[in-house]
Amino acid sequence: MFGPRRRWGRGPSRGSGFGLMLLAAQLGQIGLDRIPPVTLATVVAQVTIFLNVWRRFHIRLPTIRDACVSAFHVWHHRQWRRLFWAAFLHVDEWHLYYNMASFLWKGLSLERRLGSGKFLYVIAVFSVLINSLLIGINMLAVNVLEEGHYYTDCAVGFSGVIFALKVLTTYDLPRGHMTAVMGLFTVPTRLACWVELLITSLLFPNVSFVGHLAGILVGLLYVKGPLHDLMHGTFIGPFGSRQAQSVGSYQHNQQYSSDARATGQEIKFM
């Protein structure tokens, strides 16, 4: 999640295309046939949204300005659709690249473990819940800290969901398991998302600290709180609640990298 300091027009900044080429190269290196369908479809959908491909089919999707999520737009103006759409738009190609590159590895692990239907359901619910929690935290900050910018800060991007998925992939790892954060130092894997939350917020001021925090909290509610049972107790379909393996059993060392880069308007990057 990011929040730009310059004024945005109606669409994202395209850039040189190098970030998109890197993403395509990473997809090719993994192999399209090895990427589970929901993971691949999610990446392709977000790339096509970024490139505005859908307008060729006369399908009009919201722009960054129309989709970014803030307390002002959602709480005050009741623009509820922003709670969903904000997760799937990106400010520039590097914002998209870092988020999709990170999501690919989470999807490779989790979709195989949960099943495609359940993984799609988790992504959809997390997208709305994280943005809803972001609004709640910002409203609390407005009232407690009396900082007005929390009311108007507007966020877009998928990394709130990615932070939640990080919690899911690491939850069942042994307590002594260590992982490298941004290639700089190692920390206990369960703490890696918290360390990255602090580092990205310090290095990139336009990153949405609240959006990433909301992602971690939703992930914790899923693996340690009531959210898993609430979600899957009402989930109907062939990929039902108790069918999949434990969400976090991940046997490979994982290296955490930043999901976000700063750029932009009064819109926070996620």
Side-chain angles (χ1 to χ4, degrees):
M1 282 189 175
F2 273 94
R5 297 302 179 202
R6 68 174 184 267
R7 293 291 164 189
W8 280 98
R10 297 196 58 80
S13 172
R14 291 285 184 268
S16 64
F18 188 60
L20 293 176
M21 287 189 288
L22 282 178
L23 179 59
Q26 190 160 354
L27 289 168
Q29 184 178 28
I30 296 171
L32 296 181
D33 58 329
R34 294 181 56 214
I35 302 173
V38 171
T39 300
L40 181 60
T42 301
V43 173
V44 171
Q46 296 198 49
V47 170
T48 59
I49 290 171
F50 177 79
L51 295 174
N52 207 8
V53 170
W54 296 98
R55 68 179 176 182
R56 298 181 183 179
F57 303 97
H58 307 289
I59 298 174
R60 189 172 180 271
L61 299 178
T63 62
I64 291 173
R65 188 173 63 188
D66 297 329
C68 66
V69 64
S70 72
F72 174 76
H73 290 111
V74 176
W75 186 267
H76 184 73
H77 287 287
R78 304 292 192 265
Q79 296 177 5
W80 306 115
R81 71 173 187 165
R82 291 174 182 263
L83 293 175
F84 176 78
W85 279 112
F88 299 97
L89 276 76
H90 292 83
V91 169
D92 60 33
E93 65 174 318
W94 292 108
H95 185 202
L96 176 69
Y97 167 73
Y98 284 110
N99 278 351
M100 293 301 97
S102 180
F103 171 71
L104 266 174
W105 297 107
K106 311 296 183 296
L108 285 170
S109 169
L110 285 173
E111 185 173 347
R112 290 167 179 162
R113 193 157 302 123
L114 299 177
S116 295
K118 189 172 179 180
F119 186 58
L120 177 62
Y121 176 55
V122 165
I123 290 173
V125 173
F126 278 16
S127 298
V128 175
L129 281 181
I130 289 165
N131 285 330
S132 300
L133 185 56
L134 179 151
I135 298 300
I137 295 173
N138 277 347
M139 287 300 298
L140 181 65
V142 168
N143 288 282
V144 173
L145 303 178
E146 298 184 350
E147 292 283 351
H149 70 88
Y150 286 105
Y151 191 64
T152 55
D153 280 351
C154 215
V156 291
F158 201 64
S159 59
V161 176
I162 293 169
F163 267 85
L165 297 181
K166 285 177 184 176
V167 177
L168 271 61
T169 58
T170 59
Y171 178 66
D172 283 345
L173 288 173
R175 287 192 174 272
H177 192 277
M178 305 292 286
T179 192
V181 176
M182 302 173 70
L184 300 176
F185 51 85
T186 58
V187 297
T189 300
R190 291 192 182 186
L191 298 179
C193 57
W194 294 103
V195 174
E196 188 175 348
L197 171 69
L198 296 175
I199 291 176
T200 55
S201 297
L202 290 172
L203 295 180
F204 311 117
N206 292 344
V207 168
S208 174
F209 175 86
V210 176
H212 292 174
L213 174 62
I216 293 173
L217 294 177
V218 167
L220 290 173
L221 283 172
Y222 187 89
V223 298
K224 302 188 76 170
L227 183 56
H228 180 279
D229 290 338
L230 287 172
M231 284 175 60
H232 302 299
T234 59
F235 181 67
I236 300 172
F239 305 97
S241 61
R242 298 296 179 185
Q243 186 175 346
Q245 300 175 27
S246 178
V247 294
S249 55
Y250 189 40
Q251 300 303 318
H252 304 289
N253 290 335
Q254 208 171 22
Q255 188 167 12
Y256 282 72
S257 60
S258 173
D259 291 326
R261 285 282 171 93
T263 182
Q265 164 206 249
E266 275 310 310
I267 300 172
K268 292 288 181 184
F269 286 46
M270 284 201 288

